Amino acid sequence: MGFDKVNLVVRGKPLWRYSFDTFLAHADVEAVGLVSHAVYECREAAFVVPGGANRTESSRAGLDAVPTWAEVILVHDAARPLVSPQVISRVIEGVRQSGAASPVIPIVDTIKQVNHEQIKTLLRSELVATQTPQGALRQHLEAAHRMNKGTVTDDMVMIESLGIKPTLVEGEERNFKVTTMDDLIKFGAILGQPETRTGFGYDIHRFSDDPTRPLMLGGVHFPDHPALMGHSDADVVIHAVVDSLLGAAALGDIGVHFPNSDPRWKNCPSLNFLVTTGGMLAAEWEIVNIDIAVIAETPKIMARSSEILIAISGALKLETGRVSIKATTNELLGAIGRSEGIAAFATATIRQRF
């Protein structure tokens, strides 16, 4: 996948959590643990241990961490988020019958074995695809790991090397493994319509009397005009956009992530805040559109609106057509009308990626 797929947040929770919760809720499952190189904080987990260099080593690490009272152990791929309680029950029953069990599904495609220039068509009626969870009695798994020091594709390969014939139980098409982006899209489609959210942002800054400060609006420099006062470059347009995005994703506000008490942000270009915010949203959310309104007597914002749209869309890796900006005066009313500063509003709409 090119990234840590099991830690990817899908509809508000990481991929691994879907199957974890299913096991945790199962009446016959007394404890669930995690094997992963990622660091998890999971109060419900019986254990959290790092994985190995391959699947076999990871399986062994999990086996060593399982509480000693456990007699039946199931091993499941966290990348199979839609495992059902029924499949889990069938595997447990299969272990009780023969000492080991695995869910399987029929092969619907014709399979060909290719070896150099030789091609052999296999009998589809004799083939099945294995899934997880795969289960076995503890003593069988321990013996299998002692005997097998190499790398195998699943735990049943090791069990079979002991001369034990696992019970093959009915699996489910929905219990597929998320391996490619298409699988991730398929998973999202099964979950239903992705969530869409809207966030609102507002910022206002007074003009500064420091002649060395540049006036930045929407990431664009407006020369020969008083700048705005602030800890960073005081770009009210960008600040409003950042707050609208953070608000839509329920990630706090600009003060949480870029506080004016932090010297790192002193005179920092606000476009950096926008790039960082876009990165925070990227894994789970896509930006549908951003609508900006600027209230100022001067300067004339719309004369350079295309530059602002390019700056903002570039920072967020969006098409310019997903960002709009408009400007108005305050008709000489209030602080803005007296040209004491500039204010900006922004509304952002975001949608879950999967």
Side-chain angles (χ1 to χ4, degrees):
M1 293 284 279
F3 56 86
D4 180 11
K5 62 186 177 185
V6 296
N7 231 3
L8 181 69
V9 176
V10 181
R11 307 297 168 84
K13 64 181 181 179
L15 191 68
W16 64 266
R17 187 82 207 199
Y18 284 87
S19 55
F20 181 90
D21 287 345
T22 302
F23 279 98
L24 203 64
H26 196 283
D28 291 333
V29 175
E30 295 194 40
V32 187
L34 296 168
V35 182
S36 173
H37 285 296
V39 177
Y40 296 120
E41 293 184 6
C42 183
R43 293 175 302 172
E44 303 95 331
F47 58 85
V48 181
V49 295
N54 52 56
R55 191 188 192 286
T56 305
E57 291 183 10
S58 295
S59 180
R60 177 73 216 194
L63 177 61
D64 291 341
V66 169
T68 56
W69 50 258
E71 296 180 358
V72 174
I73 297 173
L74 308 182
V75 182
H76 183 67
D77 297 326
R80 296 182 187 270
L82 293 173
V83 62
S84 71
Q86 293 76 21
V87 169
I88 296 172
S89 294
R90 289 195 286 267
V91 172
I92 293 172
E93 182 58 30
V95 174
R96 289 171 175 160
Q97 290 177 7
S98 64
S102 173
V104 298
I105 58 173
I107 297 293
V108 296
D109 297 316
T110 297
I111 305 297
K112 293 185 181 291
Q113 184 179 37
V114 180
N115 184 12
H116 299 294
E117 295 182 358
Q118 295 182 336
I119 300 176
K120 180 181 179 181
T121 301
L122 304 180
L123 288 176
R124 189 170 60 186
S125 59
E126 297 180 356
L127 300 173
V128 293
T130 60
Q131 298 181 327
T132 66
Q134 296 181 344
L137 296 175
R138 185 191 196 108
Q139 68 235 37
H140 293 341
L141 276 176
E142 291 177 337
H145 276 283
R146 285 196 298 269
M147 179 177 289
N148 294 271
K149 300 301 182 182
T151 300
V152 295
T153 55
D154 66 20
D155 295 275
M156 291 303 100
V157 174
M158 293 190 297
I159 293 294
E160 291 162 8
S161 70
L162 298 177
I164 298 172
K165 183 180 179 181
T167 298
L168 302 182
V169 303
E170 180 185 358
E172 294 176 348
E173 290 287 344
R174 283 170 57 98
N175 188 26
F176 63 89
K177 188 176 182 180
V178 174
T179 305
T180 67
M181 286 300 298
D182 285 343
D183 295 327
L184 201 54
I185 293 170
K186 177 181 177 182
F187 175 50
I190 291 173
L191 293 179
Q193 189 70 22
E195 183 178 356
T196 299
R197 294 182 181 179
T198 300
F200 178 76
Y202 169 75
D203 195 32
I204 184 170
H205 283 271
R206 68 172 63 247
F207 285 121
S208 169
D209 57 7
D210 183 352
T212 65
R213 282 181 64 86
L215 175 62
M216 301 297 297
L217 294 173
V220 174
H221 180 213
F222 284 73
D224 303 320
H225 193 285
L228 293 170
M229 186 185 301
H231 185 66
S232 63
D233 64 5
D235 189 328
V236 290
V237 175
I238 300 297
H239 292 187
V241 172
V242 167
D243 260 349
S244 68
L245 291 169
L246 292 173
L251 293 175
D253 64 13
I254 193 169
V256 171
H257 299 280
F258 313 103
N260 59 15
S261 58
D262 192 330
R264 287 181 300 168
W265 315 129
K266 180 68 174 177
N267 297 323
C268 179
S270 295
L271 273 178
N272 292 355
F273 301 166
L274 194 57
V275 171
T276 301
T277 301
M280 292 166 61
L281 270 65
E284 184 179 0
W285 302 95
E286 62 178 342
I287 300 170
V288 178
N289 77 295
I290 297 169
D291 187 27
I292 306 161
V294 183
I295 302 92
E297 299 299 324
T298 61
K300 298 299 182 183
I301 307 296
M302 297 309 292
R304 305 186 65 187
S305 61
S306 60
E307 295 175 65
I308 293 175
L309 296 181
I310 290 172
I312 292 174
S313 60
L316 294 171
K317 299 179 181 178
L318 294 176
E319 305 94 334
T320 54
R322 294 189 179 274
V323 184
S324 69
I325 187 167
K326 46 195 175 290
T328 186
T329 69
N330 221 34
E331 298 294 336
L332 304 179
L333 297 174
I336 300 296
R338 292 191 298 270
S339 296
E340 295 178 13
I342 299 176
F345 299 85
T347 303
T349 301
I350 62 175
R351 179 172 55 218
Q352 288 176 318
R353 289 192 177 278
F354 309 106

